[in-house]
Amino acid sequence: MTFGKAPDPMPAGASLLASRPIPTAAINRLSHYLRCLLELEARKVRNVSSQQLARSFHLSAAQIRKDLSQVGGFGIRGVGYEVPSLIRGLKQVLGLDREHPLLLVGMGNLGRALAQSPVFQTAPFRIVAVFDKDPQKVGKPVAGLEIEPMSALRAAVSRFGARIGIVAVPPRAAVTVCRALAAAGVQGILNFAPVRVPDLPGCAVRNVDLIVTLEELVYALRSGGSDGALRPEGV
Amino acid sequence: MTFGKAPDPMPAGASLLASRPIPTAAINRLSHYLRCLLELEARKVRNVSSQQLARSFHLSAAQIRKDLSQVGGFGIRGVGYEVPSLIRGLKQVLGLDREHPLLLVGMGNLGRALAQSPVFQTAPFRIVAVFDKDPQKVGKPVAGLEIEPMSALRAAVSRFGARIGIVAVPPRAAVTVCRALAAAGVQGILNFAPVRVPDLPGCAVRNVDLIVTLEELVYALRSGGSDGALRPEGV
DNA sequence: CCATGTGAACAAATTCACAGCA
DNA sequence: TGCTGTGAATTTGTTCACATGG
């Protein structure tokens, strides 16, 4: 900014958190940047420029600079970014500077696979309790945990301080389970069931909808294009 | 359109396919519309207005009309949309009016779960062959199929006319496997490994990246907002 | 002199408001 | 009259070009 800074009521240091809401697409990109930076860190790389980062991803250097400048003044002009400090900064922005205990509901094929997946056993994420409504399954061990009944949800939320639940139940049960999680105090849900979950006050939902993703892929076949666009979503 | 239709070089009937590229976000929405319409069809509902559809989703009626008008002249003014014919139209636009045999690579926990998932056993999708590089696993049965070695990929592509592959292998193997699939003639890949796949000429990639999605969810916790935004995502 | 940070130009997508037709 | 279809307005996001500062 060149001019017009006089009426600045923002106290210094308040810029990291609580600034303007960052669009979801940008958050996704920050996740990717973080992953790449962790790889660089493992390779003992100490600093990196937006150019170099842009080569690793499929993005423009300008986009990276915009994203990073938006979330805080990392980066040294004329030099680039210092890897360890940028990692710390991104973790803080994304909220990854603390543990995130996860509750997993639904111990069918998918649920059992997720319970054992390295993704959910890598800091800062860890599955701390698993649930199923089937009395036959309750009490059985899965991935070092004992399957609990749905009635134990609320207790688990407060015991572990869990804020995130994972839903891996059949479609027809998904909405009920999501409501139960929200009622138990969970603030975020990762939903694997191919159904649209209605708004749950105080609880954010992200869907991993394999049918939609597959259909998106089918449509992409037609154009032969290998776009990929970073996310999608997702993903 | 009110005026200026004279210089229209587009022959009638060519509007459905081969019109302008539809943005990915819109394709995702069409998938959701289709799902809702199938539910309405099962409930014997014969027609529906954009208003009614908008209530089922979390979208504006205007968005639905725009999306649907963009892909073809379904809809009757003053009445709404006829459910069965709109279903047919959307299936055609999305490319779901034909079978889509799927090849699944990676028979770890996730791979086995996916092999048995109803999502991949519901028309028009069906897993027709499964693969693993581990000789110990080759020959073993999974979900009614026999695990094949990676060397059998190309033969399976031509035998089944498969165009889509699913990658459920560990991160470090994912890029190699994606290249192998593309080399075997696959035109689309659904990648579950949390890695960025480089561009593969002639092969579209969609990532189901649980780490990125979880991190997105963590960020959403902060705002307490239950936005959800329909997509992605994703992913 | 280099690479960041950022206003300004640009592009894409969504919403609005109403014309047009059953 | 009611609901679709669609140009125009608006909002949102991305790219560019250059001033800034270590």
Side-chain angles (χ1 to χ4, degrees), chain B residues 25-37:
Chain B
I27 292 295
N28 280 351
R29 287 194 299 268
L30 295 182
S31 285
H32 282 278
Y33 303 160
L34 177 57
R35 180 180 293 166
C36 184
L37 288 162

Side-chain angles (χ1 to χ4, degrees), chain A residues 17 22 24 27-28 31-32 35 57-58 92-96 100 102 109-110 113-114 116 119-120 125 163-164 187-190 192 194-196 199-200 202-222 224-228 230-235, chain B residues 17 22 24 27-28 31-32 35 57-58 92-96 100 102 109-110 113-114 116 119-120 125 163-164 187-190 192 194-196 199-200 202-222 224-228 230-235:
Chain A
L17 274 181
I22 305 168
T24 304
I27 292 296
N28 281 349
S31 285
H32 282 278
R35 180 179 292 167
F57 306 111
H58 205 239
Q92 189 186 341
V93 169
L94 292 171
L96 302 174
H100 289 281
L102 306 174
N109 290 319
L110 180 60
L114 294 176
Q116 297 170 72
V119 167
F120 300 113
F125 300 109
R163 299 192 296 168
I164 295 180
Q187 297 163 48
I189 291 175
L190 186 62
F192 283 85
V195 297
R196 184 142 191 74
D199 279 357
L200 302 169
C203 187
V205 178
R206 287 296 178 280
N207 299 292
V208 176
D209 195 321
L210 299 187
I211 294 177
V212 168
T213 311
L214 259 187
E215 292 181 356
E216 188 187 321
L217 195 52
V218 167
Y219 181 81
L221 293 185
R222 172 184 285 89
S226 50
D227 82 40
L230 183 58
R231 54 120 309 225
E233 313 19 220
V235 295
Chain B
L17 275 181
I22 306 169
T24 304
I27 292 295
N28 280 351
S31 285
H32 282 278
R35 180 180 293 166
F57 307 111
H58 204 238
Q92 190 187 340
V93 169
L94 293 170
L96 303 175
H100 289 282
L102 307 173
N109 290 318
L110 179 61
L114 295 176
Q116 298 169 71
V119 167
F120 300 114
F125 299 109
R163 299 192 296 168
I164 296 179
Q187 296 163 47
I189 291 175
L190 186 63
F192 283 86
V195 298
R196 185 142 190 75
D199 280 356
L200 302 169
C203 187
V205 178
R206 287 297 178 278
N207 300 293
V208 176
D209 195 320
L210 301 186
I211 294 177
V212 168
T213 311
L214 259 187
E215 292 181 356
E216 189 187 322
L217 194 52
V218 167
Y219 181 82
L221 294 186
R222 171 184 286 87
S226 50
D227 83 37
L230 183 58
R231 55 128 295 240
E233 284 345 232
V235 145

Side-chain angles (χ1 to χ4, degrees), chain A residues 154-194:
Chain A
R154 181 178 286 279
V157 167
S158 56
R159 179 154 45 110
F160 296 108
R163 299 192 296 168
I164 295 180
I166 303 171
V167 174
V169 304
R172 70 179 179 288
V175 172
T176 304
V177 167
C178 287
R179 282 196 223 278
L181 279 166
V186 160
Q187 297 163 48
I189 291 175
L190 186 62
N191 170 41
F192 283 85

